[in-house]
C-alpha cells in the first residue's frame, strides 16, 4: 500500500521546471497568457516553436531553449493535465 | 464472510494504527512568510503535507515594484498582502517569530516561548541589512539616508525626501558589491527616479556610486539612460572610484577611496546577509549566506532544514522574488518526496526579472538553471537579456509584462 501511494505521488509530482511557469502564467485576463485550459499538444507546440525561433517572443524564446525535448514534453503533459 | 472481513479489517487497523500514530502525518514548518515561504507552504499543502507557516507580521510588504512607489506611480498599500487565502487553503499560520532552532531535536522555539516540532523545516528568512558592513551606516543613519531595500516605511521616507528636494539637487545612490537582493534593482531605481526628476525637477542629477565594475542588464540600462535621460544619470564603477567605504549621514556625504560626494538626497543600498534566524541557527557560512544542496535545497550545514529564497546560495540564480518562488515550489516537491522516503527528484529552475526604465519602457533578464558541481548553474544557450536594439513597441510590451508579472506572482502567492 505504501508502494502504491508512493507511485501515485510520483506520477502526479510536477516534472522538473514545471512549477516555475505559474510565476508568470496565472489567471486569464492578464497580458501574460494563462495556461489554464491549454492542452498538452498546444503547450508542446508553443514551447517547441519558441525553442526553434519559429514563434517570436520577448522572453519565452530565451526560456524554452533551456529545456530538452523530453523535459518540454513532461512539462506540457503535466500542465495539460491540470484543470 | 462478513465476520472474516471484519476480522481482517480489524487486524489491518491494529497493525497499522501504532506506527501511523507514532509517525503521525509528517509535519513541515515553514519559517517566514515572503515570496519563498508562502510558495513553499502552499505547494507542500497541495502535495498533501501538513504544514505550519511561522510569520510574525499580519501583512507582507512586497519589494518588487517598490521603486514605483518612490516616484508616485503607486502607493505602498498596493504592495501589502495578507495571509487569509493561505490560511483558507489549509496552511496553519502561527503569528510569531522563530527565536531558536534545535536541529538535533527538530524543534523550534518561538517568540511567545512555545515550541514547535518538525520533521523537516523550510527556512526562508530573506535578507537582513548588514548595519556593521559599511562604516558610518547603522540603523540610526538609515533614518537620514534611507536604504529603502526592505519595502515599508523606508520606501516612503525616500519618497518624501525626493519630493522635498529642490530642483537642481543631486541624488546619490550607493550600490553594493555582490551578492545582494535584486541585482538590477539599484539601476531600475536610478531609471525611475530619473524619469520622475525629468518631469518634476529637470535640473537635477543622479549619480550611482557602485562597488562593482559590472551589473545586471548593464548595457540595456546604460543605453536607456542615454536615450531617455541624457546627461542626467552618471554611473561610477569600482575602478573609477565608485566604491563607498564610509558614510557621513549627518552631512549627507558618501566617502570613497577617491573623494567625497554630497547629495541633496542620498540612498544607501548597504551590504546584506541572510536573515537573522539563519545566522542564529547556524545555517549561514562565513559568507553570511546559506549553502544548500541544489537538488533538495537542504542546508549543507544543518540536516532536515531546507533554505530557499534570498538567504540561500543559489549559484547563478539571482536573489529575486521569481527565483524565491520557483525555488520554493521545487523545494516543496523535494521535501514531499523525502518525507515519502524517496530521493529528491531532478531540479530545473527558471528566473525572469523585469525592470522598468520608465512606465512604458521595460527590459528583462531570464535564466534557466540546473544543478552542476554542487550549485544551481545557468543552463548554456538559454536565458539572457532583452535585445539591445529592440524597438519602442517591444520595450512597451515588456513594461506591460512587468506589471502583469507582479499581479500574477502576488496573486499566486497571496491570493
Amino acid at each position: 500500500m505504501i508502494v502504491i501511494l508512493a507511485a501515485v505521488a510520483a506520477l502526479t509530482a510536477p516534472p522538473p521546471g514545471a512549477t516555475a511557469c505559474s510565476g508568470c502564467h496565472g489567471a486569464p485576463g492578464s497580458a501574460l497568457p494563462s495556461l489554464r485550459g491549454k492542452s498538452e499538444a498546444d503547450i508542446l507546440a508553443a514551447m517547441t516553436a519558441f525553442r526553434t525561433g519559429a514563434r517570436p517572443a520577448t522572453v519565452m524564446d530565451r526560456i524554452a531553449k533551456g529545456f530538452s525535448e523530453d523535459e518540454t514534453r513532461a512539462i506540457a503533459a503535466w500542465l495539460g493535465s491540470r484543470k | 464472510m462478513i465476520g472474516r472481513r471484519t476480522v481482517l479489517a480489524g487486524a489491518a487497523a491494529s497493525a497499522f494504527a501504532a506506527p501511523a500514530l507514532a509517525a503521525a502525518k509528517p509535519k513541515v514548518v515553514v519559517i517566514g512568510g515572503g515570496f519563498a515561504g508562502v510558495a513553499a507552504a502552499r505547494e507542500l499543502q497541495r502535495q498533501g503535507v501538513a504544514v505550519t507557516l511561522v510569520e510574525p507580521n499580519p501583512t507582507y510588504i512586497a519589494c518588487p515594484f517598490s521603486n514605483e512607489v518612490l516616484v508616485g506611480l503607486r502607493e505602498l498599500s498596493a504592495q501589502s498582502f495578507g495571509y487569509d487565502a493561505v490560511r483558507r487553503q489549509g496552511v496553519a499560520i502561527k503569528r510569531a517569530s522563530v527565536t531558536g532552532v534545535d536541529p538535533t531535536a527538530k524543534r523550534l522555539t518561538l517568540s511567545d516561548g512555545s515550541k514547535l516540532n518538525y520533521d523537516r523545516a523550510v527556512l526562508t528568512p530573506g535578507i537582513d541589512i548588514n548595519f556593521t558592513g559599511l562604516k558610518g551606516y547603522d540603523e540610526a543613519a538609515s533614518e537620514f539616508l534611507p536604504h529603502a531595500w526592505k519595502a515599508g516605511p523606508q520606501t516612503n521616507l525616500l519618497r518624501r525626501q525626493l519630493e522635498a528636494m529642490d530642483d537642481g539637487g543631486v541624488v546619490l545612490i550607493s550600490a553594493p558589491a555582490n551578492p545582494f537582493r535584486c541585482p538590477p534593482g539599484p539601476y531600475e531605481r536610478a531609471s525611475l527616479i530619473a524619469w520622475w526628476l525629468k518631469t518634476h525637477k529637470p535640473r537635477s542629477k543622479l549619480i550611482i556610486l557602485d562597488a562593482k565594475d559590472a551589473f545586471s542588464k548593464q548595457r540595456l540600462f546604460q543605453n536607456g539612460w542615454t536615450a531617455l535621460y541624457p546627461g542626467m544619470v552618471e554611473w561610477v564603477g569600482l575602478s573609477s572610484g565608485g566604491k563607498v567605504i564610509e558614510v557621513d549621514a549627518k552631512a549627507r556625504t558618501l566617502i570613497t577611496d577617491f573623494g567625497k560626494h554630497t547629495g541633496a538626497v542620498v540612498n544607501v543600498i548597504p551590504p546584506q546577509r541572510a536573515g537573522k534566524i539563519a545566522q542564529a541557527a547556524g545555517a549561514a557560512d562565513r559568507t553570511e549566506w546559506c549553502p544548500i544542496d541544489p537538488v533538495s535545497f537542504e542546508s549543507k550545514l544543518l540536516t532536515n532544514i531546507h533554505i530557499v529564497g534570498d538567504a540561500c546560495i543559489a549559484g547563478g540564480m539571482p536573489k529575486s522574488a521569481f527565483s524565491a518562488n520557483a525555488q520554493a515550489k521545487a523545494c516543496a516537491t523535494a521535501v514531499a518526496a523525502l518525507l515519502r522516503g524517496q530521493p529528491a527528484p531532478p531540479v530545473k529552475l527558471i528566473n525572469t526579472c523585469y525592470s522598468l526604465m520608465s512606465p512604458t519602457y521595460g527590459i528583462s533578464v531570464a535564466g534557466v538553471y540546473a544543478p552542476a558541481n554542487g550549485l544551481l548553474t545557468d543552463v548554456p544557450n538559454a536565458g539572457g537579456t532583452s535585445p539591445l536594439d529592440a524597438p519602442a513597441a517591444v520595450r512597451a510590451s515588456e513594461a506591460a509584462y512587468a506589471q502583469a508579472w507582479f499581479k500574477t506572482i502576488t496573486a499566486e502567492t497571496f491570493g
Side-chain angles (χ1 to χ4, degrees):
Chain A
M1 179 170 170
I2 287 162
V3 172
I4 293 163
L5 281 178
V8 168
L11 276 177
T12 54
T19 53
C21 306
S22 58
C24 280
H25 299 284
S30 169
L32 298 163
S34 176
L35 301 176
R36 280 185 209 165
K38 293 269 197 295
S39 69
E40 175 180 352
D42 287 346
I43 295 167
L44 184 60
M47 285 290 284
T48 305
F50 286 134
R51 190 171 62 230
T52 60
R55 181 170 167 182
T58 55
V59 164
M60 279 313 300
D61 49 347
R62 297 178 246 159
I63 290 170
K65 289 186 180 79
F67 291 88
S68 70
E69 212 175 311
D70 284 349
E71 287 171 330
T72 306
R73 217 172 273 283
I75 291 171
W78 186 77
L79 289 172
S81 72
R82 309 198 91 197
K83 295 288 165 259
Chain B
M1 231 16 218
I2 291 163
R4 194 169 160 237
R5 229 180 242 175
T6 310
V7 169
L8 275 178
S14 59
F16 280 94
L21 276 178
K25 204 177 169 187
K27 194 178 167 189
V28 174
V29 177
V30 177
I31 302 161
F35 284 102
V38 173
R42 296 185 85 163
E43 185 63 25
L44 280 160
Q45 195 279 337
R46 238 172 257 130
Q47 295 190 30
V49 177
V51 55
T52 300
L53 177 71
V54 183
E55 163 60 46
N57 299 304
T59 54
Y60 179 74
I61 306 180
C63 263
F65 273 81
S66 64
N67 283 332
E68 283 213 333
V69 177
L70 291 177
V71 296
L73 285 166
R74 57 200 284 131
E75 296 303 319
L76 206 55
S77 55
Q79 299 294 110
S80 303
F81 300 89
Y83 297 99
D84 289 348
V86 184
R87 197 178 284 113
R88 274 200 303 276
Q89 191 195 311
V91 174
I93 299 184
K94 176 76 182 166
R95 274 277 296 283
S97 51
V98 173
T99 55
V101 180
D102 182 344
T104 312
K106 297 201 268 187
R107 187 180 301 133
L108 306 171
T109 307
L110 306 185
S111 47
D112 62 7
S114 64
K115 309 273 187 188
L116 197 53
N117 293 310
Y118 60 84
D119 292 289
R120 287 184 179 270
V122 181
L123 191 55
T124 69
I127 60 148
D128 264 6
I129 302 295
N130 182 358
F131 280 118
T132 58
L134 176 59
K135 194 177 173 193
Y137 195 73
D138 56 13
E139 204 152 2
S142 74
E143 296 301 318
F144 293 97
L145 314 183
H147 55 76
W149 216 243
K150 286 190 166 195
Q154 280 274 308
T155 312
N156 280 337
L157 176 61
L158 182 54
R159 175 175 172 169
R160 286 196 303 273
Q161 291 185 352
L162 288 166
E163 287 167 352
M165 186 181 84
D166 291 334
D167 188 12
V170 172
V171 178
L172 295 179
I173 295 178
S174 164
N178 294 323
F180 62 99
R181 165 180 280 179
C182 191
Y187 315 98
E188 179 193 66
R189 175 172 290 182
S191 306
L192 287 177
I193 291 175
W195 169 81
W196 183 81
L197 291 173
K198 194 177 170 181
T199 306
H200 298 276
K201 312 193 190 233
R203 296 190 299 114
S204 304
K205 241 193 111 165
L206 186 146
I207 301 170
I208 306 161
L209 298 171
D210 209 325
K212 306 177 286 304
D213 268 327
F215 60 87
S216 175
K217 306 178 213 173
Q218 182 163 356
R219 288 184 66 197
L220 284 165
F221 275 116
Q222 289 180 317
N223 290 359
W225 291 332
T226 305
L228 301 172
Y229 315 114
M232 207 162 199
V233 179
E234 184 188 346
W235 176 74
V236 185
L238 171 68
S239 54
S240 305
K243 185 184 181 179
V244 173
I245 55 166
E246 190 178 344
V247 174
D248 183 346
K250 294 257 158 76
R252 293 197 309 276
T253 297
L254 302 177
I255 301 156
T256 69
D257 277 325
F258 289 52
K260 293 183 175 186
H261 300 259
T262 300
V265 173
V266 181
N267 170 218
V268 177
I269 303 170
Q272 296 148 40
R273 56 187 170 200
K276 194 165 70 182
I277 188 63
Q279 318 284 344
D285 67 13
R286 266 187 294 177
T287 66
E288 301 190 281
W289 301 99
C290 304
I292 52 158
D293 176 273
V295 179
S296 65
F297 300 88
E298 188 166 1
S299 168
K300 285 184 174 170
L301 304 175
L302 305 170
T303 52
N304 301 310
I305 293 182
H306 302 250
I307 302 153
V308 286
D310 288 354
C312 77
I313 299 172
M317 289 192 93
K319 299 186 186 304
S320 71
F322 193 112
S323 289
N325 170 278
Q327 290 162 7
K329 290 181 284 190
C331 174
T333 302
V335 167
L338 291 166
L339 291 173
R340 292 193 300 266
Q342 298 172 321
V347 164
K348 203 93 185 246
L349 291 163
I350 299 171
N351 177 63
T352 303
C353 285
Y354 288 101
S355 301
L356 291 176
M357 296 203 64
S358 87
T360 55
Y361 191 112
I363 56 177
S364 63
V365 63
V368 183
Y369 307 88
N373 304 317
L375 285 171
L376 287 162
T377 306
D378 281 88
V379 172
N381 306 315
T385 63
S386 313
L388 287 170
D389 58 356
V394 168
R395 305 293 189 222
S397 295
E398 292 219 281
Y401 293 153
Q403 301 276 357
W405 167 78
F406 185 72
K407 279 201 190 116
T408 299
I409 201 153
T410 51
E412 190 198 25
T413 310
F414 299 102

